[in-house]
Amino acid sequence: MEFAEISDTICQEGAQADKLFIIVKGSCTVRIRGKEVARLEELAVFGESSLFGGEHAKRNATVAAADGNAVKLLVLARAKWERLVRSGIPSERCVAALRAVQAERMKMNAQ
């Protein structure tokens, strides 16, 4: 994983999805079609659909640093995730847990 510090938009709805994020410090707003639908705090994971959607995956929401403050993030690119999965380092339980988060978020986003 890589470290990033971002004070504006982290990912844009409809853009290519190729990274997963974990908030280390700060908070983010989540917007779908311009409407704020959630606020994510420290240790929240987002972008999990990018790990399973293949090279044509698109972002389902816009996520931005809240209140104009910088957010500190850990970032995992899909290519690195795929290498990890092939290596067997993340357990099947870990992969299944991320898929469950993805399914739950997809369901929430459809509402």
Side-chain angles (χ1 to χ4, degrees):
M1 295 187 96
E2 296 178 16
F3 175 78
E5 191 167 341
I6 302 174
S7 57
D8 53 9
T9 301
I10 298 162
C11 55
Q12 184 72 41
E13 184 175 0
Q16 181 181 359
D18 61 355
K19 295 179 179 84
L20 168 127
F21 301 90
I22 300 172
I23 300 172
V24 176
K25 184 169 181 156
S27 61
C28 297
T29 57
V30 180
R31 295 183 177 277
I32 297 176
R33 294 179 293 283
K35 180 182 175 189
E36 187 171 328
V37 296
R39 190 172 183 106
L40 303 174
E41 304 295 335
E42 291 178 13
L43 301 180
V45 175
F46 64 97
E48 66 287 332
S49 63
S50 67
L51 301 182
F52 304 108
E55 65 185 55
H56 301 293
K58 299 290 183 194
R59 294 281 174 205
N60 297 316
T62 297
V63 180
D67 308 321
N69 297 316
V71 178
K72 295 180 181 181
L73 304 156
L74 291 176
V75 184
L76 178 61
R78 180 178 51 247
K80 290 182 181 183
W81 167 254
E82 289 171 349
R83 281 195 303 272
L84 280 170
V85 170
R86 283 192 303 271
S87 75
I89 290 172
S91 68
E92 289 182 28
R93 184 173 159 207
C94 174
V95 175
L98 281 170
R99 283 188 186 274
V101 169
Q102 176 198 21
E104 183 62 27
R105 293 241 173 98
M106 296 284 284
K107 190 167 96 176
M108 287 172 38
N109 292 345
Q111 297 176 358

